[in-house]
Amino acid sequence: MADENTQFQLVTFQLGEELYGVDIMDVKEIVKVQNVRPIPNAPYYVEGIINLRSEIIPIINLHKRFHIQKMMVVDEDDLSEDEGGFIILDIEGNRIGIIIDRIARVVQVEKGDVKPPPQMLSGIGTEYIQGVVRQESAYLIILDTRRLFSAKELQKILTPQG
């Protein structure tokens, strides 16, 4: 049996054509798409805010932030309950939602299986990537939630100028 310290869990999701994961310890919850209210003078990748149980949460569009194409929907009838939504992250005590194309599942990963990211990954710079794990026929890209936004960006996102 593997030692508990050699494994961790990831919440995986689709963003464009790629599969991404974030540490389950950084995820507060996953919510269905809600009405996002735009906020004036926010950075281009901030879609707006949602009110989630009386908590105002900024919603970030990683498609815009990293210039990723949205997932192609071939047939509207294929849309299922797990389509789209927001993953609410806790970054340094701040709640931030990221838009996802499709939630995948929670997976257990061996720390030894995580490889450094290749220099060229579509869209997202390697500074935002914690590592890559080979899975069946694809790669799972592990995002480093602590590095997705600089302290300056976090301040802009959390206190937009009106």
Side-chain angles (χ1 to χ4, degrees):
M1 189 162 133
D3 180 43
E4 293 227 352
N5 292 336
T6 65
Q7 294 185 333
F8 61 103
Q9 290 185 312
L10 296 171
V11 174
T12 63
F13 57 94
Q14 187 120 18
L15 199 60
E17 298 303 312
E18 301 290 342
L19 189 63
Y20 294 91
V22 290
D23 191 317
I24 198 166
M25 300 308 287
D26 295 332
V27 175
K28 285 299 150 207
E29 62 186 300
I30 299 163
V31 297
K32 292 191 183 304
V33 173
Q34 298 183 18
N35 200 16
V36 178
R37 297 186 56 193
I39 40 181
N41 301 324
Y44 70 95
Y45 52 84
V46 176
E47 282 296 303
I49 55 174
I50 62 170
N51 185 333
L52 188 63
R53 290 184 292 285
S54 300
E55 186 175 2
I56 303 300
I57 298 174
I59 300 297
I60 307 303
N61 186 329
L62 291 181
H63 296 94
K64 287 181 181 176
R65 168 111 171 131
F66 298 119
H67 311 289
I68 297 171
Q69 294 290 321
K70 281 196 177 278
M71 191 172 82
M72 298 299 292
V73 178
V74 180
D75 184 1
E76 289 292 328
D77 294 335
D78 285 348
L79 292 178
S80 61
E81 287 299 307
D82 61 355
E83 285 296 321
F86 308 127
I87 293 181
I88 309 299
L89 298 172
D90 189 320
I91 302 175
E92 318 258 324
N94 299 301
R95 299 266 166 103
I96 293 179
I98 58 172
I99 297 172
I100 59 170
D101 289 333
R102 173 183 284 156
I103 192 70
R105 58 196 167 123
V106 173
V107 296
Q108 191 93 6
V109 174
E110 290 285 337
K111 285 185 180 172
D113 292 342
V114 178
K115 305 292 180 226
Q119 287 306 305
M120 285 305 296
L121 268 173
S122 60
I124 294 185
T126 53
E127 67 269 25
Y128 306 113
I129 298 172
Q130 197 171 314
V132 178
V133 177
R134 180 110 172 106
Q135 286 205 316
E136 290 122 38
S137 62
Y139 285 98
L140 170 60
I141 301 165
I142 304 169
L143 294 179
D144 185 339
T145 57
R146 306 261 173 313
R147 297 169 110 187
L148 278 180
F149 309 102
S150 68
K152 206 175 199 177
E153 284 176 311
L154 271 178
Q155 189 167 6
K156 244 188 203 172
I157 292 166
L158 297 167
T159 56
Q161 311 307 305

